[in-house]
Amino acid sequence: MEKGEPRACRDVIKDNISETCTCQKNFTVYESFEKNVYLYYGLDNFYQNHRRYVKSRDDKQLLGKDDTAVSNDCSPFGTDGEGMVYAPCGAIANSMFNDTLKLFEIKLGGQAEELNLIKTGIAWPSDRKIKFNNPPGSLNSTGAFKNNVKPPYWTKNVYELDKQDPSNNGYKNEDLIVWMRSAAFPTFRKLYRKIDHNMTGFKFSFPKGQYYLEVEYNYPVDSFGGKKRMILSTTSFLGGKNNFLGIAYITVGSVDQLNINQNTPYSD
Amino acid sequence: MTSVPKTFLIGSSGEEHKEMIKMMVLSCPSCTSPAHPDDDSGGGGSDGEGGMGGGVGGGLGGMGGGAGGVEHRTVYLNEPQPHKYCSNAVCTAKYRFKLLFFLPMFLFEQFRRYANVFFLIIALLQQIPGVSPTGRYTTLVPLICILVVSAIKEIAEDIKRHRADDELNKREIEVLKDGQWQWIKWRHIQVGDIVKVRNNKFFPADLVILASSEPQALCYVETANLDGETNLKIRQGLPQTSNLLEARDLMNLSGKVECEAPNRFLYQFTGNLKQTSRPGVMEDTNGVLYQEEMFIWDEEEQEKATPLSPDHVLLRGAKLQNTNWVFGLVVYTGHETKLMKNSATSAPLKRSTVDKQTNNLIILLFFLLIVLCLIMAVCNSQWDAKLHWYLSIDDLSVFNFGINFITFIILFNNLIPISLQVSLEVVRFIQAGFINNDTNMVYEENDIWAMARTSNLNEELGMIKYVLSDKTGTLTCNIMEFKRCSIGGTVYSMDDGSCQDLVTLVESGGAGASVARQFLTMLGVCHTVIPDRDESRGDGSIIYHAASPDERALVEGARELGFVFETRTPECCIIDVLGSKEQYEVLNVLEFTSARKRMSVIVKTPDGQIKLYCKGADTVIYERLGDSQQFRDLTVRHLEEFAAEGLRTLCYAVADISPEFYEEWKNTYYKASTALQFRERKLEDAAQLIENNLTLLGATAIEDRLQDEVPETIAALLKAGIHVWVLTGDKQETAINIGHSCHLLNQGMPLIILNTESLDETRDAINRHVVEFGEQLKRENEAALIIDGKTLIYALTPDLRKDFLDLCISCKSVICCRVSPSQKAEVVELLTRETGSVTLAIGDGANDVAMIQKANVGVGIAGLEGLQAACASDYAIGQFRFLARLLFVHGAWNYSRLCKVILYSFYKNICLYVIELWWAAMSGWSGQVLFERWSIAMYNVLFTAAPPLVMGIFDRSCSAETRMKYPELYRESQSGSHFNWKVFVWWVWLALVHSVLVFVLPYLSMTQDVAWGHGRVGGYLMTGNMVYTYVVITVCLKAGLETDAWTWVTHLAIWGSIASWFIFLLVYSNFWPILPMAPDMCGIYLQVYSSPVFWFGVILIPLACLLPDIVVKTIRNSICKSLTEQVRESEISNKDVSKVLDTKHRLTETARLLKNVFRRTTTRVNLEVELAPTSTKVSWVSNLKTWYATSHEPPSRGHWFVMQVNDGHQPKYMGTHSLKRNMESWVNQK
């Protein structure tokens, strides 16, 4: 990576979409949140609810039943030039959010410790159980997905989404499942991770203190005037809104810092 | 049928009666033909209702004959027919050729409805790939469902019809073949066959009678299937064939029957029987002379032509009665029979005001839809999709614009509530069922239930502004009773025993006995009644079958006076005169027509004299009297007295005919009666020749009692703000009198009488009155207008009709006397068209058919004059009094119910679909649907279908009893206050507010996308289904809010509908992947039902939406409560309703008085002064009568007024003419 003049990641990926750009953002939690705390990413001005977008998927394919022919709805992301079927097909899958977010707690001594984030249980169980199933065969290019290619905008194949956990791989990957549920409004958030409250100090809450967010910046939102946000949120039984004591903080904080790195200098 | 237009051409030659007939032809295919001798202007009583039918029947005969001369058919006897005629197999099924062509015909029928076409277009648009936001089948499937359901209905009905047809076609009948009777099926009967019909069997085709088991080929038929009349009718074959009693004789018959081409006029048949050789039948002893004389020798054809009239014909659909068998020659078969020709005709399609308004709204909505979609498409094209790389949209923008436009059309198509048509049909059907099953509208005497013959006008019954009523049979019972007679200047009454004097007089042979005897003989002879000796009862009592109740009353009257009409044969009448039988040979019957207004018989008395007896309206009889008439003036006075008592009068006159003159005349008459062209007119001219130089004998008076509760009903109608007009064929005096007795006219009410002889006079009179009204013109005044038929002709001319109408609507009530059916229709049409008010015509006879069909709503009284009026009507009731319930209860209820259904249907669709508009702003104007496609497709079918139906069926604002008791409540629906632009805009506004709230509130609660404790996010369908749930709940509760009367059905409908959605969501979310549909809904129920936010919203959001409604309703109900509301409230709290109404009434009464005080200073006084003399004089006689009759009542101002006049003059009777003269001279003095 080039050092020197810091560049915003958005500019970096504007020039070269495949370049890896990482940025980080410090933030302070002034009051501890009660558990459970969830990590969301948010997108602004992103029309997941556009008619042409919403229908651009093939639920049959995602059932893992038929991987050779896909619905016309997926067009133009149904098959590639050689007739290979994109897995998964359609505009929704093709535009899946692919930033990687990491949270670090800055300890008193100044050293940072990465927080454990749980990546399962973020999707609806019904989706995982019923709607998303992998085709029969092992999750690789010769097995379940032998007739498929990765969607054009993807950097990795569907069977590489979570190599560590086979139950969270392929179509059953919860990040994919969460993304595939189209949001209702152009400003939306999606559950990214759950904070692991088994960590020391996190048993009962998300303690106040200094943290920073590290983002592997891949997802371009600049072209349509979009914004990205990271939201840390606890919930009450009513869900996300009135729950945060730190609502003001998070809102303010989010705006500052979760507009991810519009201005954050690139650093290592 | 080509002959029909020609008929009209002839008919329109200018004469009034011809026009009238034309009207009837147009409107009344099945009018009766009662030979009713008295007539419209029959000296007071006779309304001529019964007679009209006869007039029409005859009229058709003559005029149709004119056209029939062009096309006629010749049926050869006992020979093969040169032409092939229509088969006797009938098929009444809609889809004739079994089900071969069912599909195309059915589809053609279905897609003549705009709604279905719209549906289809949407369904087709949805098939364009990538265009539809709601999938490809969400319109097509419901459309197919609807079509399949209608197809099943049609097929089921059609199969039924096919079966019925088959049953008919397979019936067997004896036909003469090869010299013997053979049983064949009906369908094999051909024109020219000779068939034998036995007692109590139906005629298989239209037959010409040849012979019967009775003497002189007489037979009795019942024609209930054809015209609803249950009295027996007599039919008779020609004497020439009447004793062809054996098959052998029939086989020898040769010749031909010429008759007109098939047509649908039941009482028209013109034809001739031409025999090529004289068969051996002429040795018949009975009436040989008559027969032979009737023959004319056709020099050229060497054939004898004998005229055939409707009396010689047996029509399919009729039934043989009291006759063992009859031989008939088949002339028309199958679909050419008159019955079948009639079954094809249909009444004009009427649409209600609400329906028209709804249609306008739908058209308006359609344009709004287009505009909305254009706006959306423009917005869409402005929204730069190319920036959004993830969408990958790179279409051509122009192409895109069009596609998007279609998308939006599909998206918003339900703004036009297609479901409304279905809801309305269901609601109306059931409402009609309520009318049909209302036990409060059953005329128990005859077991006649009210019947809604159409359901399209249910709500129109709630908006009636004018009721135009016929008199006889409608206001009155049409049960005639012979009351009085004036013979030779002496009045005899049946009530006070003076009739005994009459009998004594005749027996004793004192002075005037000969006139009396002659008069009573005439009563017994001059009619067309058929006596039927009912042997079964053992006492030998005679039942009279008469086509009109008047005739029966007269014959029965004669019986009471000792002149019993006993037997009728074709040639003679036998009457029992005080114990001794006398036989009168009937030479000719000159039948009643409404143009002639009289009927005559020419008889040969037992002592060989030839006499013409003529009875009819006073005007026509007086015109034809000889010079020195002894009792002329005395009888006039009696006639006027009778009329003033509301009796129907007839004049009787006689003429001695010399045999020489008769012989001469008979030939003329015969020629006329065999004419194939203009037979009617020629017959009329012939009759004119002999009905002359008459000697007046006297007059009769028949009472026709008012029906039960007529005055009360009319009073209630007036209270309800309905104007009641009476259109009658009666004399002016009778009409005015009836007006008084049924409380249409008040004592002291100024009467404006228009009784003029020419156009100029009429113009002057109308203008004068218009000027007199001044500012009060076109406002309701306490005055009545009375106009007679002759003046009406002038008043309805184009340049006068406007002023005339202004004058009419300035009066509280209008009475038109001596009007013809076509005039009735004209008045109705003028009123309907010019004022735009909703009119209701009510009548019972064939002469009311035209008016019933012209009015916005036609009500028929299923009365004694057959069912023609009822059959042509929209609603049929048994008695006039049921009109009040029909209007006040059913009409008002139906109106408010239907208005609610319509407004609610608009509301619920706008409420749901406009949400898509709000969401479109948030989804890049892409046309994405917030809801799942099948959920919205089911919106109108399932989730919100029941509340409007229940509202349309069970809602009611006041109980029936209250509505009947307080007719004032009717005014609300009458003024159309429940459904107009204002109300519509208000509902649309509410729909918009609700749709905003129901969208924005969930939107705000879901901005975080997280609605659960477990932190997961929902997708757009989570939001969508939340919103949808709230819409369903809000909309259902809104129905509850609008419902005035909650019943358990209402509860079931509202809560059930809401529950149905919850259940649907549960079930539907589990479809995928078991059923290949709704993958996006998979598991949604878990998301929705597990969200506390959702459940909070379930309670809060509908409440928040309905809060404005509740507030507005509360404010309105506490500040400016409508009368209905007040009554409803006091009903609910069990308070005395009358208090509310009385307060209201007092207020308005005071207001009215106050108003009058100010008004009186201006033109009002003027008017009263102008009218005062007229009113006093004209209502004089009637006042006197009611004065005596109602002397227990305290005298009103009017009475006092009259008494003053009475003090001034001796209360002696003044004829109308003198009255008029007085009035005119008085006016001239002014």
Side-chain angles (χ1 to χ4, degrees), chain A residues 40 47 49-52 63 77 121 123-124 131 153 181-182 184-186 188-189 220 223-224 235-240, chain B residues 130 383 389-390 392 395 919 922-923 926 928 1003 1008-1010 1012-1013 1015-1017 1019-1020 1072 1079 1082 1087 1092-1093:
Chain A
Y40 299 90
Y47 287 83
N49 59 10
H50 195 280
R51 186 170 65 86
R52 306 277 288 264
L63 272 180
F77 303 109
W124 287 91
K131 240 179 132 176
Y153 291 0
R181 234 179 220 294
S182 307
F185 304 108
F188 63 87
R189 66 174 71 173
S223 62
F224 54 85
T235 57
S236 73
F237 77 105
L238 278 177
Chain B
W383 193 82
W389 55 267
Y390 51 92
S392 315
D395 300 333
W919 199 53
M922 296 183 175
S923 63
S926 61
Q928 173 61 27
Y1003 167 68
Q1008 308 272 325
D1009 290 303
V1010 185
W1012 300 267
R1016 297 189 186 104
V1017 277
Y1020 82 98
W1072 180 266
C1082 178
Q1087 300 186 14
V1093 176

Side-chain angles (χ1 to χ4, degrees), chain A residues 84-150:
Chain A
M84 296 290 269
V85 173
Y86 291 124
C89 75
I92 307 181
N94 185 45
S95 59
M96 183 178 155
F97 186 75
N98 58 357
D99 281 5
T100 313
L101 310 182
K102 284 176 184 167
L103 279 180
F104 292 88
E105 183 185 12
I106 304 171
K107 302 273 185 179
L108 285 173
Q111 79 273 32
E113 189 180 310
E114 188 178 353
L115 300 189
N116 273 348
L117 300 176
I118 303 168
K119 58 190 172 186
T120 54
I122 55 173
W124 287 91
S126 60
D127 280 0
R128 244 183 85 83
K129 266 192 223 130
I130 302 165
K131 240 179 132 176
F132 292 86
N133 284 303
N134 283 314
S138 52
L139 300 180
N140 54 43
S141 60
T142 55
F145 299 102
K146 57 181 182 296
N147 298 320
N148 301 118
V149 291
K150 67 179 170 64

